[in-house]
Amino acid sequence: QGKETNQTIGETPLRHLVYRVQPLPESMRRFVWDFGQLKPETEKLYIEQLVKHFLECTISISNVEPHLRQVTDVLAASQAFMRQKQDECSFVSIRDVKRTLSVAKWFYEMHEILKPLLDDARIRLSGSLWKLTRKRVSLLATSIVLALGVCYHARLQDRHSYRNCVYKILRLAPLALAGGPEVIENEIRLCQEVFLDQMKLPPGIGRSRALCENVFMMVVCINLQIPLFLVGKPGSSKNLAKDIIKATMRDAENKSTLFRQLKQVQVLSYQCSKKSTAPSIIKLFQSAERIQETHDSNAFTACVVLDEVGLAEDSPHMPLKALHPLLDEGTRAVGYSENSEEAVSSRLGSRHEATAYAIDTIRRKPTNEPELCTDVAEILAQSKTITKASFLGLSNWALDPAKMNRGVLVNRGIPVEDDLIECSRGICSGDRNAQQLLRPSFRGLAKAYLRAYHSQDSEKECYGLRDFYSLVKLLYSGCLRYGEAPSWPQLEYAVKRNFGIQNNYCIQAFRDCFPHLALGYHTQSLTSSMEFIRDNLSPQGDEACDSRYLLLLTENNAALQILRQEILTSDEPEIIYGSCFRRDQEYTDACQQLRRIKVCMATGRTVILLNLDKVYEGLYDVLNQYYVHHKGRRFVDMGLGSDRVTCQVHRDFRVIIIAEQKHVNEKFPIALISRLEKHYLSMTSVLSASQITSSKQLSAWARSLETPSTDRRQGDSDSHLAEVFMGYHKDTADTIVMTVENEVGKKDEKTSQQEYDRRVFTKAYSFLLQIATPETFVCRRASEHFKQVQNAYFHDQEHFSLAKYLKNLQKESHNMSGLLVQVATRSRGMPSMPQQQILEKQLKRQVTVTSLGDYDTEREFSIKCSNFYCSSDSNPGYLLIHCDSLYYSQEMLSFVVHIIQEEKRAVSQRERGRSLGNVVIVIYVPRENDSLFSTMIRSAWRYVYIDDVYRDPKRAVSVSKVMGCTISSVIGKANSMLQSELERQTAGSITESMVCSEAAIDVETVLLESVHTAVSRIDDPEQQSNRRINNVLFLIDRSRNHDPVSKSFVAVLVDRVVTLLKAEENRGGTERASLWVQSTGMDTLKLQAGGTFSEALWREVIRAVTPLLSEIIAYIDVDNNLEVALNASVYVQSLWLDFFSASGITPLKHEDFSSLEHRTLRDRVPVASYGFGGHHFTALFPFSCRVKSRVDDMLSEAASQARQRVKDTSGQLTIKSVKLEILRRIFDKSDIGVLLHKLVTKSPGDSKSLIRDYLNDFVHMVYNPVSEDPKSEIQMVFMALENEITSNQRLDIPSIHSIFQDIQHFVDSLQRMLSYGIRLGNRFLAQQLIKRCQTETPSGMVLDAMCATLLSSSCCPVPAKDFSDWPSCKQWLKKVQFCRLTV
């Protein structure tokens, strides 16, 4: 439907617009006039005149007046009903009325022929599901009903409401149609069945409702030369009906009684496509009319069929514009002649001359044509003088209304369940026994299909009616072969074969509809696409006629190699590869490809088609597999446009279309996809169990070479591997394993499976190593195995000079002949003449250099390759073909490889024993195109990555000691070694020299050189930069002296640096991060500043570490937290390190340090203080501020659980006790509690003092001292809080938080009263409270009460002072009011 299109203007579907036109020239806009449309009452007057002429002159009935009113009302109601619709059906005009009357006249005149056939069918079908009226219907009523069925009823999908509308009028006298609205449908269906009964259907064709209606509409419209547009989804019997009509109405002697009275038809087909042009369509109409003129128009008609006409509508040339006059008046309306094709083409294709051409054609009217026709009879008489061909347009979607309104529209919707059952019954009609076996399954098959159909993506319906028909045929052939009803394994096999092996929803739909068959069976997973393809290409028994042609969806062009190696091993198929050269995209090239396919069809040779999108549309009739049989041979039409030929089809002929899955989803029309049996074929589907194991090992090994900064997001790993291995994709490992095993050969009896697998894996990883980039092996430190890989890459293989690589190949092979090599490189450009001469001198062979851009056609390139192979002598040379992947697609590269292989094979077969030259394809891959380039690995080819193809030896730099990784991976691996040293040093199994020799970088030195700059970036209001520097340097120095605590500190510090580095690299881009070595090497300023490459790299590491180190130091030294790591006991220091290493306790997130605006690290790092009110203090407990934040969160959770628990116990428990109990349980299970428990176990004494240290820090974080002696004030609150806790509970962190929450308002009151005291001028209130606490030790948190007493006593008036005058009284009253508020 038009609403289903994705092409819209705003929210309006493009197909809902009446015309698709070019912009009108500015000079003509002043002549534009909107004529509007007829009013309903005016239109009814037109209808009345047409009906009057029809009744009086055409059929000549008596009593015209009542019939005139009733028929006029029916037609007017039909017009009004259609205009109320919201789709393509809403566009109606007087044309529809004229067509209806013409059809009614035809049925009226055919009554004598149709009446006995209708009566026989009425008796024969009286027991059908749909009831037939037994009451006699008048001849005029029957004619009118059938005419309405042709012109209005058929275009609707929801037809019931239309029948109700017109029946209200038809039931009245004089037509008096009785029986309800259903009688309209029954009469139309009865006539359709009669037409189909008179045709000879081939076996296996289902008499579906769609086929009946399609055939009926085609017969009527072709005989009356009314244009017909048949719109429906693929599989809705459009082409089948056309072929049946073509076969039935072609010869008079083969016709039935009915069709002998109808016209003989000659069909002229035109296959539409996006490359269709208006002149070619006009030329076809002219040919049809020329044939029409040579025959009796009463007994013969030529019919133009535009197949897949919707494809031409999307053409930029707008070829269907030519249909407007052609459908109205024929070719004379456009003034077309054989010599005017170029003129028509140029005029229709010009935007500014389109209107001028229209005016010109209007002016070229016959001179004897009257200027104005006022009489209806005269209008109808003139229309008869025009010789027109019949027209039939088949489309998968609705066209624009301007075209469809010029003919009758049939709108085929989704078939209903009963229609599918009827189709299934017809498909199985060849054998009654087999039909009976399958009959109970028809309804379940229909239900399951409809459920699966509606579940797929509506924008790309990959599975349609043809797949359902093929499913039924496959089950039917099984019943014929085995003589029993299908079992669940057979049904599941058929479903998977036709709907896809991975279409789990579809399989489940069939399981749900066949529970009695599926009971006890699980979904089979052993069946693979390979088995389905083999069964398709090698059918057995009756299945031979049921196997559709194949569409193999693949990725990375793997299917072709699999077919040739695994399936088509005995037969050599014809491989037709669509040319990608720019001059080969013309129509003549498509015809040449079709000619090759025609030869294969006649000889029965399997043909494999690749990249032939321009040809597939010409094979639609071939893919339908509906053949015309003559003398035991099969024939079918094939061709593009109007250039179609009838070709013989050998019974062994098979078609295999191979295409990338992404390309199929984006480019293939549904009409093509639906005609084929679809299977997904990848390398994984053909590997054995041992090969899959080897492939997984190879993939794991490949991923181990990824740089640590690579962002390994799910589903994106292969694209990152393409940065390491040039052209890597998900099938690379599978293809390499298969290729290597073919080279190694099959395992013999003497070799164990383990040894054989090891040999295959060794050669496979060496193969994969050939396409690795040197960036992978720069500035990276890894295991001993990686050293071997590094040594193999830099010493055993050559990746920096093409000449050295080819010389190594010459040493390996004594017979240096016929080598095929693909070289991927970053160096761009072809060699200069001196470089080519140097290359020839080094290789001691002739070198021919060419570029792919020098060739415009496949023939030119093929001749070049053929001449090179034929000119080779005893010392074969090299043909270097340069290709820039930036300008050539992956399909182009695959096509070039195919040409080279074919030319080499042809010369080898023609001149056996000849030494062949060596071909090297040099592919330039820019760094930004890594993910777009794929290495298509094929047998007989060698693949290598050369960093600089024509490298100057004098400017060579050896890069063999550093691996290419991110900075974080380099530092992280070195830090891992440092931690390993710490673990093994105790056992004495390692020395410092051993660590230094293995480490890629000395992380302690990195920290030493970074710490000064890092601390200078910290904003320190207390000027403690020197203290921080000294503390960090002291810890690092102690680490160098093998102090375990200091070494652990350095290891943890570096680990946090690495974590932040990884986050920064991920944010900046993993590819960029992995190329930091290369960027440094290409940065002149950095090299000049460093003096050497290593120094430049070192400075780059320092530059990356410094800002992150400053953030970490500022973070860990909050409230002088570093002092704990220096001065505490060993166990407390260990706890400090444990907290520092736990990211859950001390979270360090890169986004917390970066600027939201610029997404870079901030230039200055502030130091936070967690003292209440912003006061500074020195922490005694490790990371006390982080611990407090975590425990506060635990307390909130404990309080929530406690309230629920108390509620559940109906108040028998108190919230306070329950809350503390739950908090302790949560705390003990947390990482903080586990680490503290570990300390308690090792050192109970330290743990007790540590809790009091935490209480001290806690008081600082919840209380801000206001007195002049803040230390004593804090100590006072500390003692009061400790007494409050220990009076009821043991002192631990949970009790501190829980009890403080209960008494927090007392502490707040205390602080508020002390603040008020200062504001009232009592500076010594706090000192008084401190002294009182020293003499009277409070038993709990009663400091607020004691302070209130002191504050109240300070308000006692002194008469001589406070009441001396009125201002003094007011001041005293103010003091009392302040005191009253807080007390």
Side-chain angles (χ1 to χ4, degrees):
Q1 296 181 1
K3 63 184 180 182
E4 295 176 353
T5 180
N6 292 328
Q7 301 178 355
T8 60
I9 296 179
E11 297 182 356
T12 304
L14 197 58
R15 295 182 191 139
H16 277 187
L17 302 179
V18 179
Y19 291 99
R20 185 182 298 189
V21 297
Q22 299 284 9
L24 194 67
E26 291 287 342
S27 59
M28 295 199 65
R29 292 193 176 183
R30 60 192 181 95
F31 297 104
V32 174
W33 178 262
D34 183 8
F35 288 90
Q37 65 180 14
L38 293 177
K39 296 180 179 179
E41 53 271 18
T42 306
E43 184 183 52
K44 192 169 183 179
L45 292 176
Y46 275 92
I47 296 174
E48 184 177 355
Q49 291 298 316
L50 292 171
V51 173
K52 183 177 181 181
H53 179 272
F54 167 74
L55 296 175
E56 292 179 347
C57 304
T58 304
I59 62 176
S60 302
I61 66 170
S62 59
N63 194 15
V64 172
E65 190 62 29
H67 288 89
L68 174 62
R69 288 195 302 270
Q70 189 172 14
V71 175
T72 301
D73 291 343
V74 168
L75 293 176
S78 298
Q79 295 281 98
F81 181 87
M82 292 299 168
R83 288 196 174 99
Q84 292 175 0
K85 307 298 289 184
Q86 300 298 320
D87 53 14
E88 294 80 11
C89 301
S90 62
F91 297 92
V92 290
S93 66
I94 295 296
R95 291 191 186 104
D96 298 277
V97 177
K98 294 174 61 177
R99 281 192 290 264
T100 305
L101 296 176
S102 299
V103 175
K105 173 191 173 184
W106 186 80
F107 279 112
Y108 194 90
E109 295 173 346
M110 291 286 294
H111 175 69
E112 295 300 328
I113 301 172
L114 288 175
K115 184 178 182 301
L117 299 176
L118 289 172
D119 292 341
D120 292 343
R122 196 182 305 274
I123 297 173
R124 178 171 51 85
L125 299 175
S126 59
S128 299
L129 296 177
W130 43 284
K131 297 180 180 180
L132 298 173
T133 177
R134 297 184 179 274
K135 188 173 182 180
R136 191 173 189 83
V137 182
S138 67
L139 174 58
L140 179 59
T142 301
S143 303
I144 293 296
V145 167
L146 294 178
L148 293 176
V150 171
C151 299
Y152 294 103
H153 187 266
R155 72 172 62 187
L156 296 168
Q157 290 195 16
D158 181 16
R159 302 173 178 181
H160 180 72
S161 56
Y162 173 72
R163 293 194 295 268
N164 292 335
C165 175
V166 297
Y167 181 75
K168 294 177 182 178
I169 303 174
L170 292 174
R171 69 181 180 181
L172 304 176
L175 297 180
L177 187 66
E182 293 79 11
V183 72
I184 299 176
E185 180 185 16
N186 295 340
E187 290 298 319
I188 295 173
R189 285 197 62 186
L190 181 65
C191 192
Q192 293 172 359
E193 291 287 342
V194 167
F195 274 70
L196 195 62
D197 287 341
Q198 297 298 306
M199 295 184 174
K200 185 179 179 180
L201 300 182
I205 299 299
R207 293 172 59 95
S208 65
R209 185 179 300 183
L211 180 62
C212 288
E213 186 173 64
N214 292 348
V215 169
F216 171 74
M217 295 295 295
M218 288 182 183
V219 172
V220 173
C221 292
I222 289 174
N223 274 271
L224 293 174
Q225 294 182 322
I226 298 175
L228 173 64
F229 290 95
L230 188 53
V231 178
K233 293 181 181 295
S236 54
S237 303
K238 301 187 298 295
N239 280 283
L240 177 60
K242 178 201 70 174
D243 293 334
I244 293 174
I245 292 290
K246 181 179 178 181
T248 303
M249 304 180 70
R250 179 176 50 194
D251 300 323
E253 61 272 11
N254 296 330
K255 295 180 181 179
S256 62
T257 304
L258 172 63
F259 283 96
R260 287 196 189 100
Q261 308 300 322
L262 302 180
K263 294 180 180 179
Q264 183 181 350
V265 178
Q266 181 174 345
V267 176
L268 287 79
S269 297
Y270 183 94
Q271 182 61 54
C272 295
S273 67
K274 293 183 179 180
K275 295 186 178 181
S276 299
T277 60
S280 62
I281 294 178
I282 296 174
K283 186 176 181 180
L284 182 67
F285 272 84
Q286 186 205 23
S287 301
E289 291 181 5
R290 189 185 303 115
I291 296 172
Q292 181 78 40
E293 291 172 352
T294 60
H295 292 77
D296 182 7
S297 60
N298 295 322
F300 177 89
T301 182
C303 179
V304 175
V305 178
L306 297 188
D307 199 359
E308 302 297 340
V309 63
L311 297 176
E313 191 181 37
D314 291 335
S315 171
H317 307 294
M318 293 191 294
L320 298 186
K321 279 294 180 184
L323 284 180
H324 296 177
L326 290 173
L327 297 182
D328 290 336
E329 303 180 39
T331 56
R332 291 179 177 82
V334 295
Y336 183 81
S337 65
E338 292 185 358
N339 300 325
S340 63
E341 181 171 344
E342 294 183 0
V344 173
S345 177
S346 63
R347 288 184 177 182
L348 289 179
S350 174
R351 173 182 299 180
H352 299 292
E353 297 179 10
T355 309
Y357 173 68
I359 295 175
D360 183 55
T361 55
I362 292 173
R363 288 173 178 171
R364 288 189 281 110
K365 291 182 179 180
T367 56
N368 58 351
E369 181 178 348
E371 295 183 358
L372 182 63
C373 298
T374 58
D375 186 60
V376 174
E378 188 176 356
I379 295 175
L380 298 175
Q382 287 182 16
S383 64
K384 294 180 181 179
T385 63
I386 301 174
T387 301
K388 293 195 303 180
S390 301
F391 172 80
L392 176 59
L394 308 181
S395 178
N396 289 330
W397 55 77
L399 308 181
D400 67 62
K403 298 176 184 63
M404 295 191 298
N405 184 250
R406 286 173 162 82
V408 172
L409 169 65
V410 178
N411 206 341
R412 293 250 62 85
I414 301 173
V416 296
E417 185 178 312
D418 291 338
D419 206 13
L420 293 177
I421 294 174
E422 188 65 29
C423 289
S424 303
R425 187 180 295 112
I427 291 172
C428 305
S429 60
D431 187 280
R432 183 173 297 275
N433 294 331
Q435 186 188 55
Q436 291 299 325
L437 291 173
L438 199 57
R439 183 187 294 272
S441 303
F442 286 161
R443 187 165 298 279
L445 293 175
K447 286 183 178 180
Y449 165 74
L450 290 175
R451 186 180 302 178
Y453 174 83
H454 291 295
S455 68
Q456 64 181 336
D457 187 1
S458 60
E459 294 184 2
K460 197 69 173 180
E461 297 175 358
C462 296
Y463 300 100
L465 288 170
R466 287 190 175 96
D467 300 286
F468 173 76
Y469 300 152
S470 180
L471 169 71
V472 176
K473 290 179 182 179
L474 191 59
L475 294 174
Y476 173 64
S477 66
C479 293
L480 288 175
R481 186 180 306 117
Y482 302 113
E484 59 182 15
S487 62
W488 172 251
Q490 293 172 338
L491 177 59
E492 184 181 18
Y493 171 87
V495 172
K496 286 184 176 181
R497 178 166 169 179
N498 290 282
F499 292 92
I501 191 172
Q502 296 179 344
N503 195 342
N504 295 327
Y505 186 88
C506 183
I507 297 173
Q508 186 60 42
F510 280 87
R511 288 182 69 93
D512 295 341
C513 293
F514 291 91
H516 59 287
L517 292 180
L519 185 64
Y521 288 96
H522 298 286
T523 301
Q524 297 179 359
S525 59
L526 299 178
T527 307
S528 66
S529 299
M530 294 290 295
E531 297 181 28
F532 294 138
I533 296 171
R534 288 192 181 97
D535 292 344
N536 181 284
L537 296 177
S538 302
Q540 300 176 358
D542 295 332
E543 191 183 329
C545 62
D546 298 333
S547 296
R548 293 183 292 171
Y549 296 137
L550 284 171
L551 170 61
L552 299 184
L553 294 86
T554 186
E555 292 187 24
N556 306 307
N557 210 10
L560 179 60
Q561 184 174 348
I562 296 173
L563 283 179
R564 303 185 71 171
Q565 293 183 0
E566 302 294 330
I567 299 178
L568 302 174
T569 55
S570 58
D571 301 330
E572 184 64 28
E574 178 74 10
I575 301 175
I576 303 179
Y577 214 121
S579 175
C580 297
F581 288 96
R582 50 182 173 268
R583 292 278 298 276
D584 285 337
Q585 309 305 315
E586 299 176 359
Y587 182 75
T588 54
D589 182 66
C591 295
Q592 180 65 28
Q593 306 291 9
L594 285 175
R595 191 176 298 113
R596 294 177 62 185
I597 297 174
K598 178 184 175 183
V599 173
C600 295
M601 290 172 60
T603 58
R605 191 176 182 185
T606 300
V607 60
I608 300 176
L609 308 180
L610 299 95
N611 195 33
L612 282 173
D613 292 19
K614 58 187 176 183
V615 172
Y616 295 146
E617 291 156 357
L619 300 176
Y620 279 2
D621 286 342
V622 178
L623 301 179
N624 283 338
Q625 296 178 274
Y626 184 82
Y627 306 112
V628 176
H629 296 266
H630 181 69
K631 294 182 179 181
R633 293 184 294 178
R634 306 186 303 177
F635 298 89
V636 73
D637 287 347
M638 181 179 69
L640 291 172
S642 59
D643 299 327
R644 302 181 66 81
V645 294
T646 300
C647 310
Q648 181 181 352
V649 184
H650 196 280
R651 291 192 176 274
D652 294 334
F653 171 70
R654 305 298 298 168
V655 175
I656 304 175
I657 297 178
I658 299 177
E660 294 288 311
Q661 185 174 23
K662 182 179 179 181
H663 180 74
V664 171
N665 294 336
E666 295 177 353
K667 301 294 184 181
F668 273 31
I670 299 177
L672 173 61
I673 298 174
S674 65
R675 284 172 162 84
L676 298 163
E677 182 177 319
K678 300 162 280 292
H679 296 292
Y680 177 77
L681 193 60
S682 64
M683 280 296 174
T684 308
S685 60
V686 299
L687 297 182
S688 63
S690 61
Q691 288 175 332
I692 292 175
T693 302
S694 299
S695 176
K696 289 181 178 179
Q697 291 177 352
L698 187 63
S699 297
W701 177 84
R703 286 181 172 81
S704 68
L705 297 183
E706 286 184 285
T707 55
S709 63
T710 300
D711 184 9
R712 294 192 180 98
R713 290 172 293 184
Q714 186 177 0
D716 205 23
S717 59
D718 292 331
S719 62
H720 293 305
L721 279 177
E723 302 170 5
V724 180
F725 302 98
M726 187 59 62
Y728 189 94
H729 50 82
K730 70 175 187 177
D731 288 336
T732 297
D734 298 337
T735 312
I736 290 177
V737 169
M738 179 178 290
T739 304
V740 167
E741 282 207 4
N742 291 335
E743 294 178 2
V744 173
K746 296 183 178 180
K747 183 181 75 67
D748 53 29
E749 297 179 356
K750 298 180 180 180
T751 307
S752 64
Q753 185 65 41
Q754 184 178 4
E755 175 62 24
Y756 180 79
D757 292 342
R758 187 194 62 79
R759 189 187 307 169
V760 170
F761 177 76
T762 302
K763 194 162 186 177
Y765 103 79
S766 179
F767 190 110
L768 184 59
L769 202 62
Q770 287 282 4
I771 61 174
T773 58
E775 295 92 305
T776 311
F777 305 97
V778 176
C779 290
R780 184 184 178 97
R781 189 67 176 172
S783 63
E784 291 295 330
H785 170 71
F786 193 84
K787 290 182 179 180
Q788 298 175 5
V789 177
Q790 179 187 10
N791 185 68
Y793 185 85
F794 287 108
H795 299 286
D796 300 342
Q797 298 179 358
E798 178 56 49
H799 294 274
F800 296 95
S801 172
L802 178 62
K804 290 183 179 180
Y805 172 76
L806 295 177
K807 288 177 68 176
N808 292 341
L809 287 183
Q810 292 178 2
K811 294 178 182 178
E812 295 176 8
S813 176
H814 298 290
N815 183 20
M816 187 67 175
S817 173
L819 285 179
L820 300 173
V821 182
Q822 283 191 36
V823 177
T825 182
R826 302 282 193 200
S827 59
R828 190 174 187 175
M830 299 176 62
S832 61
M833 186 57 66
Q835 287 177 322
Q836 184 175 344
Q837 294 173 352
I838 293 174
L839 189 61
E840 290 179 343
K841 185 177 180 180
Q842 291 175 333
L843 297 175
K844 299 179 181 179
R845 295 171 187 254
Q846 183 180 1
V847 177
T848 304
V849 182
T850 185
S851 173
L852 203 57
D854 297 338
Y855 307 96
D856 293 332
T857 64
E858 173 189 355
R859 178 176 174 80
E860 293 177 4
F861 184 73
S862 299
I863 292 174
K864 178 68 176 180
C865 296
S866 178
N867 293 340
F868 170 74
Y869 279 122
C870 293
S871 62
S872 301
D873 51 17
S874 58
N875 189 27
Y878 292 91
L879 174 63
L880 269 60
I881 304 172
H882 280 259
C883 173
D884 193 335
S885 67
L886 190 63
Y887 301 108
Y888 296 101
S889 63
Q890 201 66 46
E891 290 78 12
M892 181 64 165
L893 299 178
S894 300
F895 180 56
V896 167
V897 169
H898 172 72
I899 294 176
I900 294 172
Q901 290 181 162
E902 291 299 310
E903 292 300 330
K904 179 185 175 183
R905 183 175 60 85
V907 174
S908 299
Q909 293 177 352
R910 193 168 57 244
E911 304 179 25
R912 298 185 180 276
R914 183 186 185 91
S915 297
L916 300 178
N918 309 294
V919 176
V920 180
I921 302 178
V922 181
I923 306 171
Y924 164 68
V925 184
R927 203 171 295 278
E928 60 272 14
N929 277 27
D930 277 344
S931 59
L932 302 179
F933 173 74
S934 297
T935 301
M936 303 300 179
I937 299 174
R938 299 170 179 84
S939 57
W941 283 82
R942 296 173 182 264
Y943 301 87
V944 66
Y945 174 82
I946 304 294
D947 192 56
D948 192 346
V949 176
Y950 306 107
R951 187 180 181 187
D952 187 356
K954 295 182 180 179
R955 300 181 66 251
V957 176
S958 177
V959 186
S960 58
K961 293 185 179 180
V962 249
M963 296 286 186
C965 305
T966 61
I967 298 176
S968 63
S969 64
V970 173
I971 299 177
K973 290 194 176 228
N975 191 47
S976 299
M977 294 181 182
L978 187 66
Q979 295 181 14
S980 299
E981 174 201 0
L982 183 63
E983 295 174 358
R984 290 181 287 175
Q985 202 168 34
T986 306
S989 59
I990 190 170
T991 63
E992 183 178 1
S993 60
M994 292 172 59
V995 177
C996 294
S997 62
E998 293 179 1
I1001 194 170
D1002 190 342
V1003 294
E1004 294 171 342
T1005 306
V1006 171
L1007 295 178
L1008 284 172
E1009 293 197 12
S1010 303
V1011 66
H1012 290 82
T1013 308
V1015 173
S1016 66
R1017 298 178 73 253
I1018 300 175
D1019 285 334
D1020 192 354
E1022 294 189 350
Q1023 302 297 324
Q1024 298 192 23
S1025 299
N1026 291 334
R1027 179 189 61 80
R1028 292 192 177 94
I1029 293 174
N1030 294 333
N1031 288 344
V1032 176
L1033 292 179
F1034 181 73
L1035 290 171
I1036 296 175
D1037 287 338
R1038 288 203 318 192
S1039 173
R1040 287 182 173 273
N1041 295 328
H1042 309 293
D1043 178 64
V1045 175
S1046 299
K1047 277 194 173 292
S1048 299
F1049 167 77
V1050 172
V1052 174
L1053 179 61
V1054 174
D1055 184 65
R1056 304 310 291 268
V1057 170
V1058 168
T1059 302
L1060 294 177
L1061 270 175
K1062 288 182 179 180
E1064 182 176 357
E1065 290 161 354
N1066 290 337
R1067 177 171 295 191
T1070 55
E1071 181 178 357
R1072 179 181 178 183
S1074 64
L1075 301 177
W1076 67 277
V1077 175
Q1078 291 81 344
S1079 65
T1080 303
M1082 293 183 292
D1083 195 319
T1084 306
L1085 295 177
K1086 291 182 180 179
L1087 290 174
Q1088 289 177 350
T1092 65
F1093 190 34
S1094 293
E1095 179 63 22
L1097 293 177
W1098 178 265
R1099 294 191 178 189
E1100 188 68 10
V1101 172
I1102 300 299
R1103 185 202 61 78
V1105 169
T1106 296
L1108 299 177
L1109 184 61
S1110 64
E1111 298 285 355
I1112 294 174
I1113 292 175
Y1115 184 89
I1116 65 177
D1117 199 35
V1118 170
D1119 301 323
N1120 301 332
N1121 188 57
L1122 268 175
E1123 299 292 336
V1124 180
L1126 287 173
N1127 304 320
S1129 64
V1130 175
Y1131 296 106
V1132 177
Q1133 289 178 337
S1134 177
L1135 180 66
W1136 192 96
L1137 291 173
D1138 291 338
F1139 282 177
F1140 185 26
S1141 61
S1143 58
I1145 302 175
T1146 54
L1148 282 165
K1149 297 181 181 179
H1150 189 273
E1151 53 267 25
D1152 296 337
F1153 311 142
S1154 57
S1155 170
L1156 295 177
E1157 181 179 358
H1158 303 290
R1159 299 185 64 82
T1160 57
L1161 288 175
R1162 51 195 177 189
D1163 296 330
R1164 305 295 299 173
V1165 182
V1167 178
S1169 177
Y1170 286 84
F1172 192 80
H1175 78 277
H1176 297 277
F1177 70 100
T1178 298
L1180 303 179
F1181 186 90
F1183 297 98
S1184 54
C1185 57
R1186 312 300 173 190
V1187 174
K1188 178 183 179 299
S1189 177
R1190 286 284 306 279
V1191 179
D1192 284 341
D1193 295 338
M1194 299 177 196
L1195 181 61
S1196 299
E1197 180 181 355
S1200 176
Q1201 296 182 18
R1203 285 191 295 270
Q1204 183 62 38
R1205 185 172 174 184
V1206 171
K1207 182 179 179 182
D1208 295 340
T1209 59
S1210 302
Q1212 296 180 5
L1213 300 175
T1214 61
I1215 292 180
K1216 292 183 179 180
S1217 59
V1218 175
K1219 178 179 66 176
L1220 181 56
E1221 177 187 350
I1222 295 174
L1223 178 60
R1224 280 176 173 157
R1225 185 168 63 251
I1226 296 174
F1227 180 81
D1228 291 340
K1229 292 180 180 179
S1230 67
D1231 47 2
I1232 300 175
V1234 171
L1235 294 175
L1236 279 175
H1237 180 72
K1238 177 181 173 183
L1239 176 64
V1240 171
T1241 304
K1242 293 182 179 179
S1243 179
D1246 287 335
S1247 64
K1248 293 180 181 180
S1249 61
L1250 193 61
I1251 297 301
R1252 299 185 82 252
D1253 292 339
Y1254 177 78
L1255 181 58
N1256 177 79
D1257 295 349
F1258 183 85
V1259 172
H1260 278 284
M1261 290 184 284
V1262 300
Y1263 184 82
N1264 184 21
V1266 298
S1267 65
E1268 297 179 355
D1269 188 4
K1271 185 176 180 180
S1272 300
E1273 186 177 348
I1274 290 293
Q1275 183 64 25
M1276 173 188 66
V1277 178
F1278 168 83
M1279 293 299 299
L1281 185 57
E1282 182 182 25
N1283 293 336
E1284 179 70 22
I1285 296 172
T1286 55
S1287 61
N1288 298 313
Q1289 300 288 340
R1290 71 174 185 272
L1291 183 63
D1292 55 11
I1293 293 179
S1295 63
I1296 293 174
H1297 283 259
S1298 178
I1299 294 177
F1300 176 76
Q1301 186 184 48
D1302 299 335
I1303 64 173
Q1304 183 176 1
H1305 60 285
F1306 298 130
V1307 179
D1308 294 341
S1309 298
L1310 172 64
Q1311 188 169 9
R1312 188 165 54 250
M1313 284 186 287
L1314 291 176
S1315 300
Y1316 282 146
I1318 295 175
R1319 292 178 63 183
L1320 293 174
N1322 190 352
R1323 298 171 51 197
F1324 303 104
L1325 179 62
Q1327 282 80 354
Q1328 295 174 4
L1329 183 61
I1330 293 171
K1331 287 183 179 181
R1332 185 171 178 180
C1333 288
Q1334 290 174 352
T1335 56
E1336 303 176 14
T1337 303
S1339 59
M1341 182 50 69
V1342 294
L1343 291 179
D1344 57 331
M1346 298 170 63
C1347 185
T1349 303
L1350 294 175
L1351 187 61
S1352 300
S1353 62
S1354 66
C1355 293
C1356 293
V1358 180
K1361 177 182 178 183
D1362 296 326
F1363 300 152
S1364 59
D1365 51 15
W1366 178 241
S1368 300
C1369 292
K1370 290 176 64 178
Q1371 184 66 27
W1372 179 83
L1373 286 173
K1374 185 177 180 181
K1375 183 194 304 184
V1376 172
Q1377 289 175 354
F1378 270 114
C1379 181
R1380 182 170 63 89
L1381 287 174
T1382 183
V1383 172

